[in-house]
Amino acid sequence: MFSGWNWVARGLYLLLNICSIEVSGGLVQSCGHIIPESPVLALGSNFTALCILNESCLDFGNIYANQIIWKIKNRVVPKEQYREINRTVSSVTFNDTSSLGTPLTCNILADGQIEQNIYGITVTIGLPPEKPKNLSCTVHQVSKLTYPMTCTWNPGRHTFLDTRFRLKYRWPQEDFPDCIPKDVNNSCTITDVQFFVNLEVWVEAANALGKAESDPLVLDPIEIVKPLSPHNLSVNSGILPTVLKLSWENRISAAVMKLKFNIRYRIVGDTNWMQVPPEDTASPRTSFSVQGLRPYTEYVFSIRCMKEDGVGYWSDWSEEKTGVTTEDKPSKGPPIWRIIDASRSPASWTVHLMWKALEPFEANGVILQYEVTVRAKSSLFSPPEKYNVNTTNLTLKLPNGTYEVTVIARNRVGASPPSVLLIPASNSKAPVKNVRTLPKDGKLWVGWTAPNSYVLKYVIEWCLVSNSSDCIIEWQNEPGNVQGTYLKGDIKPFKCYLITVYSLYADGQGSGQSVKAYLQQDRPSKGPTVQTKKVGKAEAVLTWNHLTVDEQNGFIRSYTIFYKTIDGNETAVTVDPSKTEYTLSSLTSDTLYTVRMMAYTDEGGRSGPDFTFTTQKFGKGEIEAIVVPVCLAFLLIVLLGVLFCFNKRDLIKKHIWPVVPDPSKSNIAQWSPQVPAKHNFSSKDQMYPEGSFTDVSVVEIEADDKKSFSEQDLKPFDLLKKEKSTSEGHSSGIGGSSCMSSPRQSVSDSDEGETTQNTSSTVQYSTVVLNGYRDQTPVQVFSRSESTQPLLDSEERSEDHAGGCDSTTQRQQYFKQNGGQDENNTEGPCFERAKQITSANEGDLVGFAPLQISGQSSQPLGLGLEKNTQEAALPDILQTSTEGQTVRSEAVEGNPPSVDEMPKSYLPQTVRQGGYVPQ
């Protein structure tokens, strides 16, 4: 209980102490302090700080030195650096202050739980000042009577502290106030000094860690004067064209200081200064005449001064002044050259004379005119021709020969020495050899190998090669003892120049030797544009144009062709730069290729645009090799087909356009048989006896086959002509009826009683085939017809009305083609329908044969024969024709089709299934 109240009392006491604290610099001061207070420490030195607790805190707060904690920027200092001196004092030691920061605080842990700041200090770390070095002073003349002195020095290293510098000076027995620098730490100016008295000068540097002084400097201020430069400088021309006179004023009294001078000069436009020899101006003066100058040349002059004995400093250079020397006659003749054009006429030349204007130092004045003299060497007695021109060129038309040309330049003072050019009739002298060029130091050097003969001089001729401008020739002369020189013109980089070197002799000249050169090369401005000249199956011929000179930017060393397919690798081919065509081989047929081309100089290459082409699917001659044989084969087949059709034209006509008989022209209407013949099928001879065609109503004969029959065979047909007169009067005659007349009821469609009626309503026809179908052996077959043409009165017979099938009165019955017996007829059939008869090889129908069955009733036979009756009739039908060909007849099996189902024909027809059936 008591112990708890004791801790409460202690806490209240500590709180009252905290409330009574004094704040200084943002740190809490309570119960103690640190010594030293805000120290300044040398960088890298040792440092020890002490934290001293107040006795009042010890007795009531129960706070002791062993509870102190040291911190640097809230970072706890290791306890190894602590030292407890007594119960109220604790120290901390730092062996190297370079790691020491600020602030440094002393803290205490009350009752082992609450950390409380006791005190803190700010630590400053720096370096002591070094000794100032290189002290020097100069007296600058400001005016004729004002001479301030400025001293400068080297302040040394940076101290990280506030360091103060002072310039101190004194006479041997008198001190002067210190000169304190403003805003700088390395110079200071003393406003006024006295000449001819020695003055001691030194510099003092001081900060919190110490002070340092420079070595003293003892001097007379007159020895360190920098005077003002002379002024009012003027330049005047003298009597001589090579002399200019200078005049000026000095701004320091001769009683104070005697001066010497330096004079410099240069030509206007030049950057190089020339100087008058110093010994010529080493004495006091106010004027000087400069000699050895160029006539009629503008010069710039400047002057400076210093103490005559050389002690002290040179003044600044004075302001510049210009002057011009007077004129003199030209010092040399103008360089002359020529261009000869002999293409217009072989007997005369067009000579273009040209010369260069003299340089100003050569002209020595203003050139008024040029005097040109042309003398023919071949005629020594002919007077020379003289020309006065104001330009630098002259064009003459001269006969072929050797000429001597002289050019003189004239100004106000006089004429230049003559320039002589010999124009020989031919360049027969030895030329130079091995002309070469070399870019060097931004200039183009030209070298050559001299000929063995003595050369008077060389002419180097060059011009800029360009597609956009003409080649303007420039030239220069070189002495005969040199074998190389730099071109003196304006040579541009990336441009091509044509350089020609001529060797000139006293009595002639050698032919020019040329070479192309670049001062500097670059990559081409563009790449070549490639195109295809010819594209094949496995190759392609590529063409391109050379780059123009302006686009090359250098010498083209090679071309490279790159080509590839859409999904393939790129292939490169190097081509000689002189070529403009190349053939790509081993290509894939019917494939799209992309090709581009690069041109290379010594500095690199540049690619041209892409170009695409597709190889052909077939090579050269492959299409012809396929098409020509096919066309020849086709023509051969067509020719053979035409020949075959021509030979078989009759057969083709029969199949395509068969002859259809015209019933209106039929002769059957004139024929009326008297008694129908009785047929006996027992033998071949009885089947077709001569004149047994009395019952035939329609005869169909092909005109081409008629010739194969004898007159005996054709006799039955003559009866048709005889009966024509008797049948023309009947309305039912074939000749007057139409094949498309309305059908009438046939005999086969009527019942048994109707067979006895007058047959004038029905005419029964048969077809007689006398020629085999498709070259088969002809067989004569008769077939009943359903023609509805009425018979003539003379064609009706009483035998036709008799019924039955008696052997003595039997009438030849004919069954209707493609017809059937009426299903109400209960009588037995008299005949069986003859079916299609075909050849053993082709199956074509050749005709119909009448069927006669003995021992049967005389009633007409239908088509519904029994099987045994058909078997009895077939052997009689299957007979051999006159040509020995077998004729086959097939009986109809099963029930015959009805009348409505069977197609009807009103004209004779061949019963060939799928064959032509006339309607």
Side-chain angles (χ1 to χ4, degrees), residues 686-707:
Q686 295 177 353
M687 182 177 179
Y688 303 115
E690 183 179 357
S692 62
F693 299 98
T694 58
D695 291 25
V696 175
S697 301
V698 177
V699 177
E700 182 176 334
I701 302 175
E702 294 184 9
D704 293 339
D705 297 333
K706 188 175 181 181
K707 295 182 293 183

Side-chain angles (χ1 to χ4, degrees), residues 71-143:
K71 286 187 177 182
I72 300 175
K73 293 182 179 180
N74 296 323
R75 179 174 57 87
V76 178
V77 178
K79 291 187 178 296
E80 290 81 5
Q81 299 176 225
Y82 298 177
R83 180 186 176 192
E84 183 181 353
I85 298 176
N86 53 40
R87 67 173 190 165
T88 60
V89 179
S90 174
S91 67
V92 62
T93 302
F94 299 94
N95 297 324
D96 187 359
T97 56
S98 59
S99 61
L100 184 61
T102 187
L104 175 64
T105 60
C106 174
N107 305 276
I108 192 167
L109 190 62
D111 295 329
Q113 295 178 358
I114 301 175
E115 182 179 316
Q116 178 63 46
N117 178 264
I118 300 298
Y119 201 77
I121 60 175
T122 299
V123 180
T124 303
I125 300 175
L127 294 171
E130 286 186 326
K131 178 182 178 180
K133 301 177 182 178
N134 301 330
L135 176 62
S136 63
C137 297
T138 302
V139 176
H140 294 274
Q141 182 185 6
V142 177
S143 66

Side-chain angles (χ1 to χ4, degrees), residues 61-310:
N62 196 18
I63 299 174
Y64 300 98
N66 59 359
Q67 298 174 336
I68 292 177
I69 299 174
W70 292 91
K71 286 187 177 182
I72 300 175
K73 293 182 179 180
N74 296 323
R75 179 174 57 87
V76 178
V77 178
K79 291 187 178 296
E80 290 81 5
Q81 299 176 225
Y82 298 177
R83 180 186 176 192
E84 183 181 353
I85 298 176
N86 53 40
R87 67 173 190 165
T88 60
V89 179
S90 174
S91 67
V92 62
T93 302
F94 299 94
N95 297 324
D96 187 359
T97 56
S98 59
S99 61
L100 184 61
T102 187
L104 175 64
T105 60
C106 174
N107 305 276
I108 192 167
L109 190 62
D111 295 329
Q113 295 178 358
I114 301 175
E115 182 179 316
Q116 178 63 46
N117 178 264
I118 300 298
Y119 201 77
I121 60 175
T122 299
V123 180
T124 303
I125 300 175
L127 294 171
E130 286 186 326
K131 178 182 178 180
K133 301 177 182 178
N134 301 330
L135 176 62
S136 63
C137 297
T138 302
V139 176
H140 294 274
Q141 182 185 6
V142 177
S143 66
K144 198 167 186 178
L145 299 176
T146 306
Y147 299 89
M149 184 179 70
T150 301
C151 295
T152 60
W153 60 89
N154 182 3
R157 66 188 178 187
H158 184 49
T159 62
F160 306 102
L161 300 175
D162 182 16
T163 303
R164 297 174 299 278
F165 291 86
R166 293 176 179 270
L167 177 63
K168 296 179 176 292
Y169 63 102
R170 66 184 178 184
W171 286 346
Q173 298 180 358
E174 184 178 355
D175 294 336
F176 295 98
D178 295 342
C179 180
I180 300 175
K182 294 180 179 180
D183 302 327
V184 294
N185 62 356
N186 62 344
S187 68
C188 191
T189 299
I190 300 173
T191 57
D192 193 13
V193 294
Q194 297 294 324
F195 293 150
F196 309 112
V197 179
N198 288 335
L199 187 67
E200 183 181 5
V201 182
W202 72 96
V203 178
E204 179 185 87
N207 62 16
L209 296 178
K211 66 172 59 178
E213 293 182 351
S214 67
D215 295 332
L217 180 64
V218 179
L219 50 86
D220 184 353
I222 196 64
E223 298 176 352
I224 57 174
V225 174
K226 181 179 180 180
L228 291 175
S229 60
H231 69 296
N232 296 331
L233 177 65
S234 63
V235 181
N236 299 309
S237 60
I239 300 175
L240 299 176
T242 58
V243 177
L244 288 174
K245 184 179 181 179
L246 307 181
S247 300
W248 65 87
E249 294 180 3
N250 296 321
R251 289 190 285 183
I252 190 170
S253 174
V256 176
M257 182 186 296
K258 292 183 178 180
L259 303 174
K260 68 177 181 179
F261 303 90
N262 270 352
I263 299 174
R264 65 178 184 177
Y265 62 95
R266 62 181 174 84
I267 299 174
V268 173
D270 196 357
T271 57
N272 297 323
W273 289 93
M274 294 171 285
Q275 190 169 340
V276 175
E279 58 271 15
D280 294 344
T281 57
S283 59
R285 65 183 63 235
T286 57
S287 65
F288 185 82
S289 293
V290 181
Q291 303 177 7
L293 303 179
R294 295 176 182 177
Y296 200 68
T297 304
E298 186 177 10
Y299 287 89
V300 178
F301 293 90
S302 182
I303 190 171
R304 67 179 179 174
C305 63
M306 73 174 299
K307 195 170 182 291
E308 183 181 15
D309 57 2

Side-chain angles (χ1 to χ4, degrees), residues 521-583:
Q521 298 189 53
D522 194 9
R523 295 193 308 160
S525 301
K526 58 179 291 187
T529 300
V530 65
Q531 294 180 340
T532 54
K533 179 179 179 181
K534 182 181 179 181
V535 179
K537 178 181 179 181
E539 69 282 337
V541 180
L542 304 179
T543 60
W544 60 91
N545 294 326
H546 287 303
L547 296 177
T548 63
V549 177
D550 297 331
E551 296 170 345
Q552 291 179 7
N553 296 335
F555 294 109
I556 301 298
R557 301 302 184 186
S558 65
Y559 291 118
T560 302
I561 300 174
F562 299 90
Y563 64 97
K564 65 176 181 178
T565 59
I566 295 178
D567 53 353
N569 296 328
E570 192 171 54
T571 304
V573 179
T574 302
V575 183
D576 188 85
S578 61
K579 298 184 179 298
T580 59
E581 184 176 302
Y582 186 79
T583 301

Side-chain angles (χ1 to χ4, degrees), residues 336-340 351-354 421 423 427 461 509:
I336 184 174
W337 188 234
R338 86 291 178 275
I339 299 175
I340 299 176
V351 180
H352 302 279
L353 297 176
M354 47 190 179
L421 175 67
I423 303 177
N427 298 331
E461 178 184 285
Q509 72 178 36

Side-chain angles (χ1 to χ4, degrees), residues 317-391:
W317 288 101
S318 67
E319 60 180 353
E320 296 177 352
K321 292 293 182 178
T322 61
V324 181
T325 56
T326 59
E327 287 188 73
D328 195 4
K329 64 180 180 180
S331 60
K332 62 178 291 186
I336 184 174
W337 188 234
R338 86 291 178 275
I339 299 175
I340 299 176
D341 185 5
S343 61
R344 297 183 179 180
S345 175
S348 62
W349 290 342
T350 300
V351 180
H352 302 279
L353 297 176
M354 47 190 179
W355 53 90
K356 292 184 178 181
L358 294 173
E359 297 291 339
F361 65 90
E362 297 172 339
N364 296 335
V366 178
I367 301 299
L368 301 178
Q369 67 177 6
Y370 298 94
E371 298 178 0
V372 181
T373 303
V374 180
R375 178 182 291 106
K377 299 288 287 185
S378 59
S379 178
L380 299 178
F381 300 100
S382 60
E385 297 181 3
K386 295 184 178 181
Y387 306 90
N388 295 326
V389 295
N390 297 325
T391 61

